[in-house]
Amino acid sequence: MIIGSVLNPVNSSMIAVALVPIGAAFGAPPSRTAWLVSALYLATAVGQPVVGRLVDTYGPRRLYLIGTALVGVAGLLGALAPSLGALIAARVLIGFGTSAAYPASMYLTRSEAERTGLKSPAGVLTALSVANQTVVVIGPTLGGLLIGAGGWRLIFTVNIPLSLACLVLGSLRLPKHPFRAADAADAPPAKRAVDVPGMLLFAAMLVSMMLFLMEPGVAELYLLGLTAAAGTGLALRELRVREPFIDLRVLGGNLPMLATFLRQFLGFTAVYGFLYGFTQWLEEGRGLHASAAGLLLLPLSLSALIVSSVTGRREAVRAKLVVGSVVQIVACALLLVVGSGSPVWLLAGVGLLMGIPQGLNGLANQNALYRQADADRMGSAAGLLRTFTYLGALGASAATATFFAHGADTHGLHELALFMLVGAVLLLVATLLDRSLRTITPTTSATPITPVSGKA
């Protein structure tokens, strides 16, 4: 479960230090190499809830194996890609392929918790979160080392052994028939229809909105019209169909879960803005090699790992989010004083601070979702949580492309820092206003879970 779920963050983070050398190899400016980031997140933002719903319907094993196999194929394509367009296609395949493992993992965790009676498996949830959050911040360092060792194509090749490991372990260990709540009452689970039109409308809405955000302008306003049309069609259909892809009645009545999605979006907009923007600035604005830029992000990796590991077994959702958002505000503010002559200790210190919210916010939101989502829709709920993560990443990628339109200089970094600062402040406000977080109290691994309900 852990290996499969980290396939997406390892691919999303390693590319941060590869954008400059890939641009140099194909003669592409930052505005074009930004598609290597956007393509993966666009595919994943669409794929996560779609595959999550399929996991809810058909079970996790089949979707996990198909998805991880696709990642291996995409890794081979990227390693041999003759052009930037082929690389972008490989990133799209990686995005779709990595959409299965995390929803499958959350589904299996919930079904095992119901089977064993351990309703709050904090250790498993912490392991998943720590692995994902740590890989995100270790990725640039790993990517820099791989590029230094054999060039940027190695960051695609690494998917092949990871995919093989997932296929072997998944075939051996994943249950063919995971436990469902209905099994406890000796009743077979009801078959569910797959809402294909709903999925297509959702994809159309998301793709048109993201295409506009990646290149906003008057000439692209028609994309917002397409977004509105697809969104309206999706709402009308989902309110009428018996087995909707996204149950708007349930989702609309679960304000705490909607608040969790919003916090995930705001938090990761700042995280990925730093990951992509600061890393590119280190290479272009500061003049560091990709491997050196990756090593300079090690303090971020270490602080995220330590914070997640130390705080993981206590839910303390509200406290983690408050501390994480405050520290994120401080880190973004420090970026405003960073310049091309800043000492290395200051640059490392900013990364050290940014690792703290990286280790707190994602874990807190995951624990909140686990308490808030309906068990029968855990796969699709987990997929939607990842979708909002990638919406934040897409927003950060669009902002980076806008502020670095003529290169990753210090002026562009400061503009990006202001953008990130606004998101961090909004995250703090959204946390303080969400009264439902007060009802999520620390539990032990054997404490029965009580679903959170009420107004956010």
Side-chain angles (χ1 to χ4, degrees):
M1 284 163 50
I2 290 175
I3 295 175
S5 67
V6 302
L7 286 175
N8 191 280
V10 75
N11 278 284
S12 65
S13 56
M14 284 196 304
I15 198 70
V17 293
L19 295 176
V20 172
I22 288 175
F26 294 113
S31 58
R32 290 184 60 199
T33 56
W35 277 97
L36 291 169
V37 177
S38 302
L40 183 142
Y41 286 124
L42 188 57
T44 312
V46 172
Q48 284 276 351
V50 170
V51 177
R53 185 62 179 143
L54 295 177
V55 167
D56 289 334
T57 304
Y58 297 109
R61 177 187 171 92
R62 186 183 310 173
L63 276 302
Y64 176 96
L65 295 176
I66 292 173
T68 51
L70 186 60
V71 173
V73 173
L76 182 61
L77 173 61
L80 302 175
S83 65
L84 182 62
L87 273 184
I88 293 173
R91 295 282 290 177
V92 170
L93 289 179
I94 290 173
F96 283 121
T98 57
S99 292
Y102 182 72
S105 298
M106 290 291 284
Y107 182 100
L108 284 167
T109 302
R110 187 61 176 263
S111 65
E112 281 296 287
E114 292 178 347
R115 184 182 67 84
T116 61
L118 301 180
K119 296 297 186 180
S120 183
V124 178
L125 292 175
T126 299
L128 282 174
S129 181
V130 168
N132 280 268
Q133 302 302 321
T134 303
V135 165
V136 167
V137 292
I138 289 178
T141 303
L142 175 61
L145 293 175
L146 289 173
I147 292 171
W152 57 264
R153 292 185 185 274
L154 282 183
I155 69 170
F156 288 89
T157 307
V158 74
N159 285 294
I160 299 174
L162 288 175
S163 172
L164 290 175
C166 289
L167 290 173
V168 172
L169 293 174
S171 298
L172 293 175
R173 303 300 301 170
L174 294 184
K176 295 182 179 180
H177 304 289
F179 178 87
R180 290 175 181 266
D183 297 337
D186 297 324
K191 293 185 178 181
R192 299 172 177 172
V194 177
D195 181 18
V196 175
M199 293 178 177
L200 293 177
L201 286 169
F202 174 80
M205 178 186 69
L206 204 58
V207 169
S208 56
M209 180 178 65
M210 288 300 99
L211 288 176
F212 176 80
L213 290 178
M214 285 186 283
E215 295 185 12
V218 177
E220 285 75 30
L221 285 176
Y222 74 94
L223 291 171
L224 291 182
L226 292 177
T227 301
T232 301
L234 176 66
L236 293 174
R237 174 173 176 80
E238 301 304 89
L239 290 173
R240 291 185 299 180
V241 69
R242 173 177 293 183
E243 288 287 344
F245 165 53
I246 300 176
D247 195 333
L248 296 180
R249 293 186 182 89
V250 173
L251 191 62
N254 194 337
L255 295 183
M257 190 164 67
L258 291 177
T260 296
F261 292 152
L262 174 62
R263 290 192 304 269
Q264 190 81 344
F265 168 74
L266 292 173
F268 278 91
T269 297
V271 165
Y272 282 103
F274 182 85
L275 185 64
Y276 294 124
F278 186 65
T279 305
Q280 288 189 68
W281 176 81
L282 287 175
E283 296 181 52
E284 291 190 15
R286 196 64 165 70
L288 299 180
H289 187 269
S291 57
L295 288 173
L296 197 54
L297 293 180
L298 270 180
L300 184 148
S301 309
L302 293 175
S303 63
L305 175 60
I306 292 172
V307 168
S308 295
S309 301
V310 170
T311 66
R313 287 191 173 272
R314 289 186 63 84
E315 290 185 53
V317 171
R318 187 174 187 273
K320 289 178 181 178
L321 288 168
V322 170
V323 174
S325 56
V326 168
V327 176
Q328 197 168 74
I329 289 171
V330 175
C332 293
L334 280 178
L335 278 179
L336 295 173
V337 302
V338 166
S340 58
S342 296
V344 171
W345 64 264
L346 176 60
L347 303 179
V350 175
L352 184 71
L353 281 177
M354 189 59 77
I356 295 174
Q358 177 77 6
L360 290 175
N361 294 340
L363 177 58
N365 286 327
Q366 176 182 270
N367 287 342
L369 181 80
Y370 185 87
R371 301 286 300 277
Q372 295 161 346
D374 181 76
D376 290 336
R377 286 181 171 267
M378 180 55 69
S380 52
L384 282 172
L385 184 69
R386 278 288 182 95
T387 291
F388 279 88
T389 300
Y390 303 135
L391 288 177
L394 281 168
S397 176
T400 301
T402 299
F403 298 131
F404 289 168
H406 304 292
D409 56 17
T410 300
H411 177 70
L413 177 66
H414 289 168
E415 290 183 327
L416 180 62
L418 284 173
F419 172 81
M420 294 161 54
L421 182 60
V422 172
V425 170
L426 291 175
L427 173 61
L428 177 61
V429 173
T431 300
L432 295 176
L433 293 178
D434 188 353
R435 291 177 294 171
S436 70
L437 295 178
R438 301 178 186 273
T439 66
I440 301 180
T441 56
T443 61
T444 64
S445 61
T447 302
I449 186 172
T450 301
V452 176
S453 62
K455 295 182 178 180

